[in-house]
Amino acid sequence: EVQLVESGGGLIQPGGSLRLSCAASGFSVSRYYMSWVRQAPGKGLEWVSVLYSVGGAYYADSVKGRFTISRDNSKNTLFLQLNRLTVDDTAVYYCAREGLGIRALDIWGQGTMVTVSS
Amino acid sequence: SYVLTQPPSVSVAPGQTARIACGGNNIETKSVHWFQQKAGQAPVLVVFDDTDRPSGIPERFSGSNSGNTATLIISRVEAGDEADYYCQVWDSSGDHPGIFGGGTKLTVL
């Protein structure tokens, strides 16, 4: 079964760091474009970052310079390193896969909650 | 950067047709994807590349894209269609390519 499972969320103080993981099954993350999308409480979806299969990465302006997307092919896992966190980063973080041949996010994880608060 | 605009809410009676608009500058030149998100759940892709449906999505879901407006069309609306709907495009002109609309709450009366 094709599946994504996020983990690593939690309560963190402003200025802190966190690493989110997204474990894939049923496909290889190395062959697909993989994105992180977040949703603040009661708000809409916000695209955060994409990692291309060939290795290039892009970020939303709101996280550029603070967040880093990466993957471990041997673990078939996507990561998002979150640094210098602020209260505005509080959100559910989803990882999602773009389908091969279609640039649409066809598989999503269940999300992991990150709460930034003192 | 590219902006997508959606109405905050749309209401429709069961059995009727719901149309959810997504406005963007010359959006017809882009491929538009639509997601359904029910309360407490992850988003689900319901229409991709303007008009195509993933496997498992009912034929009642369709889309169009012309000029400055893309539209998600839900025919014969059911109570189970009540959800938030988001449009999305990839904007290759910038270095932060993923763009979502603000979302539309579909209420089934």
Side-chain angles (χ1 to χ4, degrees):
Chain A
E1 180 188 6
V2 174
Q3 194 175 8
L4 294 168
V5 178
E6 300 95 335
S7 61
L11 175 63
I12 187 80
Q13 290 188 338
S17 297
L18 213 54
R19 189 175 82 157
L20 307 183
S21 300
C22 170
S25 56
F27 72 99
S28 297
V29 294
S30 62
R31 295 189 61 213
Y32 289 80
Y33 294 1
M34 299 293 298
S35 278
W36 287 95
V37 176
R38 69 183 181 182
Q39 187 170 36
K43 302 297 185 182
L45 301 175
E46 179 188 16
W47 175 82
V48 172
S49 181
V50 63
L51 180 62
Y52 294 143
S53 52
V54 294
Y58 291 92
Y59 301 90
D61 286 344
S62 57
V63 307
K64 195 177 298 183
R66 300 188 299 121
F67 291 9
T68 303
I69 191 172
S70 63
R71 67 176 181 244
D72 184 331
N73 295 340
S74 66
K75 296 181 179 178
N76 206 25
T77 299
L78 180 74
F79 300 102
L80 187 68
Q81 178 68 40
L82 290 62
N83 296 331
R84 305 201 314 270
L85 285 161
T86 74
V87 296
D88 291 337
D89 296 317
T90 294
V92 175
Y93 285 73
Y94 297 98
C95 64
R97 182 193 85 169
E98 283 186 45
L100 282 177
I102 62 168
R103 288 218 64 194
L105 299 171
D106 64 345
I107 302 294
W108 293 66
Q110 85 289 348
T112 187
M113 181 71 202
V114 173
T115 303
V116 184
S117 175
S118 55
Chain B
S1 61
Y2 196 77
V3 176
L4 296 175
T5 302
Q6 297 183 237
S9 63
V10 168
S11 298
V12 64
Q16 300 303 302
T17 297
R19 292 178 174 83
I20 298 174
C22 176
N25 184 38
N26 212 21
I27 197 172
E28 67 178 359
T29 63
K30 301 184 182 299
S31 291
V32 180
H33 315 302
W34 290 93
F35 300 90
Q36 175 195 69
Q37 187 181 34
K38 296 183 178 179
Q41 298 183 20
V44 172
L45 180 68
V46 293
V47 168
F48 67 94
D49 290 348
D50 301 337
T51 60
D52 294 337
R53 272 185 320 276
S55 61
I57 300 301
E59 291 183 5
R60 301 185 297 105
F61 289 82
S62 62
S64 66
N65 189 3
S66 179
N68 293 317
T69 304
T71 305
L72 175 68
I73 303 161
I74 309 173
S75 304
R76 302 181 299 282
V77 166
E78 303 173 355
D81 297 331
E82 188 161 286
D84 294 323
Y85 290 86
Y86 297 89
C87 58
Q88 185 255 326
V89 300
W90 296 102
D91 179 25
S92 58
S93 66
D95 60 0
H96 36 77
I99 309 291
F100 280 97
T104 298
K105 170 67 177 179
L106 175 67
T107 299
V108 181
L109 300 171

Short mmCIF file of all heavy atoms in Angstrom, two decimals, chain B residues 39-83:
data_model
loop_
_atom_site.label_atom_id
_atom_site.label_comp_id
_atom_site.label_asym_id
_atom_site.label_seq_id
_atom_site.Cartn_x
_atom_site.Cartn_y
_atom_site.Cartn_z
N ALA B 39 -13.27 17.79 7.78
CA ALA B 39 -12.84 18.21 9.11
C ALA B 39 -11.96 17.15 9.77
O ALA B 39 -12.34 15.98 9.84
CB ALA B 39 -14.06 18.49 9.98
N GLY B 40 -10.78 17.57 10.21
CA GLY B 40 -9.89 16.70 10.93
C GLY B 40 -9.12 15.69 10.08
O GLY B 40 -8.45 14.81 10.62
N GLN B 41 -9.22 15.85 8.76
CA GLN B 41 -8.57 14.89 7.87
C GLN B 41 -7.55 15.58 6.97
O GLN B 41 -7.56 16.80 6.81
CB GLN B 41 -9.61 14.18 7.01
CG GLN B 41 -10.61 13.36 7.81
CD GLN B 41 -11.58 12.62 6.93
OE1 GLN B 41 -11.35 12.39 5.74
NE2 GLN B 41 -12.70 12.20 7.51
N ALA B 42 -6.68 14.78 6.38
CA ALA B 42 -5.72 15.29 5.41
C ALA B 42 -6.43 15.61 4.09
O ALA B 42 -7.49 15.04 3.79
CB ALA B 42 -4.62 14.27 5.17
N PRO B 43 -5.87 16.52 3.31
CA PRO B 43 -6.46 16.81 2.00
C PRO B 43 -6.43 15.58 1.08
O PRO B 43 -5.57 14.72 1.21
CB PRO B 43 -5.56 17.92 1.45
CG PRO B 43 -4.93 18.53 2.66
CD PRO B 43 -4.75 17.40 3.62
N VAL B 44 -7.38 15.57 0.15
CA VAL B 44 -7.48 14.52 -0.85
C VAL B 44 -7.59 15.17 -2.23
O VAL B 44 -8.39 16.09 -2.42
CB VAL B 44 -8.71 13.62 -0.61
CG1 VAL B 44 -8.91 12.64 -1.77
CG2 VAL B 44 -8.59 12.88 0.72
N LEU B 45 -6.79 14.70 -3.17
CA LEU B 45 -6.85 15.22 -4.54
C LEU B 45 -8.13 14.75 -5.20
O LEU B 45 -8.40 13.54 -5.24
CB LEU B 45 -5.63 14.72 -5.32
CG LEU B 45 -5.51 15.14 -6.78
CD1 LEU B 45 -5.24 16.63 -6.89
CD2 LEU B 45 -4.38 14.35 -7.47
N VAL B 46 -8.93 15.67 -5.74
CA VAL B 46 -10.18 15.29 -6.39
C VAL B 46 -10.19 15.60 -7.89
O VAL B 46 -10.90 14.94 -8.66
CB VAL B 46 -11.43 15.92 -5.71
CG1 VAL B 46 -11.62 15.35 -4.32
CG2 VAL B 46 -11.32 17.44 -5.67
N VAL B 47 -9.43 16.60 -8.30
CA VAL B 47 -9.28 16.94 -9.72
C VAL B 47 -7.85 17.41 -9.95
O VAL B 47 -7.32 18.18 -9.15
CB VAL B 47 -10.27 18.03 -10.18
CG1 VAL B 47 -9.92 18.56 -11.56
CG2 VAL B 47 -11.70 17.51 -10.17
N PHE B 48 -7.22 16.92 -11.02
CA PHE B 48 -5.88 17.39 -11.37
C PHE B 48 -5.83 17.81 -12.83
O PHE B 48 -6.66 17.38 -13.63
CB PHE B 48 -4.82 16.34 -11.05
CG PHE B 48 -4.89 15.09 -11.88
CD1 PHE B 48 -4.15 14.95 -13.03
CD2 PHE B 48 -5.72 14.03 -11.49
CE1 PHE B 48 -4.19 13.79 -13.78
CE2 PHE B 48 -5.78 12.88 -12.24
CZ PHE B 48 -5.02 12.75 -13.39
N ASP B 49 -4.85 18.64 -13.15
CA ASP B 49 -4.69 19.14 -14.52
C ASP B 49 -6.00 19.67 -15.08
O ASP B 49 -6.41 19.31 -16.20
CB ASP B 49 -4.12 18.04 -15.42
CG ASP B 49 -2.67 17.71 -15.11
OD1 ASP B 49 -2.05 18.48 -14.35
OD2 ASP B 49 -2.17 16.69 -15.60
N ASP B 50 -6.64 20.50 -14.31
CA ASP B 50 -7.87 21.21 -14.69
C ASP B 50 -9.12 20.34 -14.68
O ASP B 50 -10.18 20.77 -14.20
CB ASP B 50 -7.77 21.86 -16.09
CG ASP B 50 -6.65 22.85 -16.21
OD1 ASP B 50 -6.21 23.39 -15.17
OD2 ASP B 50 -6.19 23.10 -17.34
N THR B 51 -9.04 19.16 -15.30
CA THR B 51 -10.27 18.41 -15.59
C THR B 51 -10.21 16.92 -15.26
O THR B 51 -11.24 16.24 -15.34
CB THR B 51 -10.62 18.52 -17.09
OG1 THR B 51 -9.53 17.98 -17.86
CG2 THR B 51 -10.86 19.98 -17.50
N ASP B 52 -9.05 16.38 -14.92
CA ASP B 52 -8.92 14.93 -14.73
C ASP B 52 -9.21 14.51 -13.30
O ASP B 52 -8.96 15.26 -12.35
CB ASP B 52 -7.51 14.48 -15.12
CG ASP B 52 -7.24 14.65 -16.60
OD1 ASP B 52 -8.20 14.70 -17.39
OD2 ASP B 52 -6.05 14.74 -16.97
N ARG B 53 -9.71 13.30 -13.16
CA ARG B 53 -10.04 12.76 -11.84
C ARG B 53 -9.12 11.60 -11.50
O ARG B 53 -8.91 10.70 -12.33
CB ARG B 53 -11.47 12.22 -11.82
CG ARG B 53 -12.55 13.18 -11.46
CD ARG B 53 -13.89 12.43 -11.36
NE ARG B 53 -14.05 11.42 -12.39
CZ ARG B 53 -14.50 11.67 -13.60
NH1 ARG B 53 -14.81 12.91 -13.94
NH2 ARG B 53 -14.61 10.70 -14.49
N PRO B 54 -8.58 11.58 -10.26
CA PRO B 54 -7.83 10.39 -9.84
C PRO B 54 -8.78 9.19 -9.74
O PRO B 54 -10.00 9.37 -9.60
CB PRO B 54 -7.31 10.77 -8.46
CG PRO B 54 -7.43 12.26 -8.38
CD PRO B 54 -8.59 12.62 -9.24
N SER B 55 -8.21 8.01 -9.77
CA SER B 55 -9.05 6.83 -9.60
C SER B 55 -9.70 6.86 -8.23
O SER B 55 -9.07 7.26 -7.24
CB SER B 55 -8.22 5.56 -9.77
OG SER B 55 -7.19 5.51 -8.81
N GLY B 56 -10.97 6.46 -8.19
CA GLY B 56 -11.69 6.43 -6.94
C GLY B 56 -12.50 7.67 -6.65
O GLY B 56 -13.32 7.68 -5.71
N ILE B 57 -12.28 8.72 -7.42
CA ILE B 57 -13.07 9.95 -7.24
C ILE B 57 -14.32 9.88 -8.12
O ILE B 57 -14.21 9.60 -9.31
CB ILE B 57 -12.23 11.20 -7.58
CG1 ILE B 57 -11.00 11.28 -6.69
CG2 ILE B 57 -13.09 12.46 -7.46
CD1 ILE B 57 -11.30 11.35 -5.20
N PRO B 58 -15.49 10.13 -7.55
CA PRO B 58 -16.73 10.01 -8.33
C PRO B 58 -16.76 10.93 -9.55
O PRO B 58 -16.18 12.03 -9.52
CB PRO B 58 -17.82 10.40 -7.32
CG PRO B 58 -17.22 10.17 -5.98
CD PRO B 58 -15.76 10.46 -6.13
N GLU B 59 -17.48 10.50 -10.57
CA GLU B 59 -17.62 11.31 -11.79
C GLU B 59 -18.35 12.62 -11.53
O GLU B 59 -18.35 13.52 -12.37
CB GLU B 59 -18.36 10.50 -12.86
CG GLU B 59 -17.57 9.32 -13.40
CD GLU B 59 -18.33 8.60 -14.51
OE1 GLU B 59 -19.41 9.07 -14.90
OE2 GLU B 59 -17.83 7.56 -14.96
N ARG B 60 -19.00 12.71 -10.39
CA ARG B 60 -19.70 13.97 -10.05
C ARG B 60 -18.74 15.14 -9.91
O ARG B 60 -19.17 16.30 -9.98
CB ARG B 60 -20.46 13.80 -8.73
CG ARG B 60 -21.50 12.69 -8.75
CD ARG B 60 -22.31 12.65 -7.46
NE ARG B 60 -21.51 12.37 -6.28
CZ ARG B 60 -21.16 13.27 -5.37
NH1 ARG B 60 -21.53 14.53 -5.52
NH2 ARG B 60 -20.44 12.92 -4.33
N PHE B 61 -17.45 14.84 -9.69
CA PHE B 61 -16.44 15.89 -9.57
C PHE B 61 -15.80 16.16 -10.94
O PHE B 61 -15.30 15.23 -11.59
CB PHE B 61 -15.36 15.48 -8.56
CG PHE B 61 -15.84 15.49 -7.14
CD1 PHE B 61 -16.54 14.41 -6.62
CD2 PHE B 61 -15.58 16.57 -6.31
CE1 PHE B 61 -16.99 14.42 -5.31
CE2 PHE B 61 -16.02 16.58 -4.99
CZ PHE B 61 -16.72 15.50 -4.49
N SER B 62 -15.81 17.41 -11.35
CA SER B 62 -15.19 17.78 -12.61
C SER B 62 -14.63 19.19 -12.50
O SER B 62 -14.84 19.87 -11.49
CB SER B 62 -16.19 17.70 -13.77
OG SER B 62 -17.26 18.61 -13.56
N GLY B 63 -13.93 19.63 -13.52
CA GLY B 63 -13.33 20.95 -13.47
C GLY B 63 -13.25 21.60 -14.82
O GLY B 63 -13.40 20.94 -15.86
N SER B 64 -13.03 22.90 -14.81
CA SER B 64 -12.83 23.66 -16.04
C SER B 64 -11.82 24.76 -15.74
O SER B 64 -11.55 25.10 -14.59
CB SER B 64 -14.14 24.25 -16.56
OG SER B 64 -14.63 25.23 -15.66
N ASN B 65 -11.25 25.31 -16.80
CA ASN B 65 -10.26 26.37 -16.63
C ASN B 65 -10.24 27.22 -17.89
O ASN B 65 -9.92 26.74 -18.97
CB ASN B 65 -8.87 25.76 -16.39
CG ASN B 65 -7.84 26.81 -16.00
OD1 ASN B 65 -8.16 27.98 -15.86
ND2 ASN B 65 -6.61 26.38 -15.82
N SER B 66 -10.60 28.51 -17.73
CA SER B 66 -10.65 29.41 -18.87
C SER B 66 -10.39 30.83 -18.41
O SER B 66 -10.87 31.24 -17.35
CB SER B 66 -12.03 29.32 -19.54
OG SER B 66 -12.11 30.21 -20.64
N GLY B 67 -9.61 31.55 -19.20
CA GLY B 67 -9.36 32.95 -18.87
C GLY B 67 -8.66 33.11 -17.54
O GLY B 67 -7.58 32.56 -17.31
N ASN B 68 -9.30 33.83 -16.65
CA ASN B 68 -8.73 34.08 -15.33
C ASN B 68 -9.41 33.28 -14.21
O ASN B 68 -9.19 33.56 -13.02
CB ASN B 68 -8.84 35.57 -14.99
CG ASN B 68 -7.98 36.43 -15.89
OD1 ASN B 68 -6.82 36.10 -16.17
ND2 ASN B 68 -8.53 37.54 -16.36
N THR B 69 -10.23 32.29 -14.59
CA THR B 69 -10.96 31.53 -13.58
C THR B 69 -10.96 30.03 -13.87
O THR B 69 -11.33 29.60 -14.96
CB THR B 69 -12.41 32.02 -13.48
OG1 THR B 69 -12.43 33.42 -13.21
CG2 THR B 69 -13.14 31.29 -12.35
N ALA B 70 -10.57 29.26 -12.87
CA ALA B 70 -10.75 27.81 -12.89
C ALA B 70 -11.92 27.49 -11.97
O ALA B 70 -12.16 28.21 -10.98
CB ALA B 70 -9.49 27.10 -12.42
N THR B 71 -12.63 26.42 -12.28
CA THR B 71 -13.83 26.09 -11.53
C THR B 71 -13.90 24.61 -11.21
O THR B 71 -13.69 23.78 -12.10
CB THR B 71 -15.10 26.49 -12.31
OG1 THR B 71 -15.04 27.88 -12.66
CG2 THR B 71 -16.35 26.26 -11.46
N LEU B 72 -14.16 24.30 -9.97
CA LEU B 72 -14.48 22.93 -9.55
C LEU B 72 -15.99 22.80 -9.58
O LEU B 72 -16.70 23.62 -9.00
CB LEU B 72 -13.94 22.65 -8.15
CG LEU B 72 -14.31 21.29 -7.55
CD1 LEU B 72 -13.62 20.15 -8.31
CD2 LEU B 72 -13.95 21.23 -6.08
N ILE B 73 -16.46 21.75 -10.22
CA ILE B 73 -17.90 21.54 -10.36
C ILE B 73 -18.25 20.22 -9.70
O ILE B 73 -17.65 19.18 -10.01
CB ILE B 73 -18.29 21.50 -11.86
CG1 ILE B 73 -17.85 22.80 -12.55
CG2 ILE B 73 -19.80 21.29 -12.01
CD1 ILE B 73 -17.76 22.69 -14.05
N ILE B 74 -19.18 20.28 -8.78
CA ILE B 74 -19.65 19.08 -8.09
C ILE B 74 -21.13 18.92 -8.42
O ILE B 74 -21.96 19.73 -8.00
CB ILE B 74 -19.44 19.17 -6.57
CG1 ILE B 74 -18.00 19.57 -6.24
CG2 ILE B 74 -19.78 17.84 -5.92
CD1 ILE B 74 -17.75 19.85 -4.77
N SER B 75 -21.44 17.89 -9.19
CA SER B 75 -22.83 17.64 -9.59
C SER B 75 -23.52 16.76 -8.56
O SER B 75 -22.87 15.98 -7.84
CB SER B 75 -22.85 16.95 -10.96
OG SER B 75 -22.16 17.72 -11.91
N ARG B 76 -24.81 16.90 -8.50
CA ARG B 76 -25.64 16.06 -7.61
C ARG B 76 -25.01 15.99 -6.22
O ARG B 76 -24.68 14.93 -5.70
CB ARG B 76 -25.81 14.66 -8.20
CG ARG B 76 -26.44 14.68 -9.59
CD ARG B 76 -26.62 13.27 -10.16
NE ARG B 76 -25.36 12.55 -10.31
CZ ARG B 76 -24.48 12.74 -11.27
NH1 ARG B 76 -24.72 13.65 -12.21
NH2 ARG B 76 -23.38 12.02 -11.33
N VAL B 77 -24.86 17.16 -5.64
CA VAL B 77 -24.17 17.28 -4.35
C VAL B 77 -24.84 16.42 -3.28
O VAL B 77 -26.07 16.37 -3.17
CB VAL B 77 -24.13 18.76 -3.93
CG1 VAL B 77 -23.73 18.91 -2.47
CG2 VAL B 77 -23.16 19.53 -4.81
N GLU B 78 -23.98 15.80 -2.48
CA GLU B 78 -24.44 14.96 -1.36
C GLU B 78 -23.95 15.58 -0.05
O GLU B 78 -22.99 16.36 -0.03
CB GLU B 78 -23.87 13.55 -1.52
CG GLU B 78 -24.22 12.87 -2.82
CD GLU B 78 -23.49 11.56 -3.00
OE1 GLU B 78 -22.64 11.21 -2.14
OE2 GLU B 78 -23.76 10.85 -4.00
N ALA B 79 -24.57 15.15 1.04
CA ALA B 79 -24.18 15.66 2.36
C ALA B 79 -22.70 15.39 2.63
O ALA B 79 -22.00 16.20 3.27
CB ALA B 79 -25.05 15.05 3.43
N GLY B 80 -22.22 14.27 2.15
CA GLY B 80 -20.82 13.89 2.36
C GLY B 80 -19.81 14.73 1.61
O GLY B 80 -18.60 14.59 1.83
N ASP B 81 -20.28 15.61 0.73
CA ASP B 81 -19.38 16.50 0.00
C ASP B 81 -19.03 17.75 0.81
O ASP B 81 -18.17 18.54 0.38
CB ASP B 81 -20.01 16.93 -1.33
CG ASP B 81 -20.26 15.76 -2.26
OD1 ASP B 81 -19.50 14.76 -2.20
OD2 ASP B 81 -21.22 15.83 -3.06
N GLU B 82 -19.71 17.93 1.94
CA GLU B 82 -19.43 19.11 2.75
C GLU B 82 -17.99 19.05 3.25
O GLU B 82 -17.58 18.09 3.90
CB GLU B 82 -20.41 19.19 3.93
CG GLU B 82 -20.28 20.50 4.70
CD GLU B 82 -21.52 20.77 5.55
OE1 GLU B 82 -22.57 21.13 5.01
OE2 GLU B 82 -21.41 20.62 6.79
N ALA B 83 -17.22 20.08 2.91
CA ALA B 83 -15.78 20.09 3.18
C ALA B 83 -15.20 21.43 2.75
O ALA B 83 -15.90 22.27 2.18
CB ALA B 83 -15.10 18.96 2.41
#
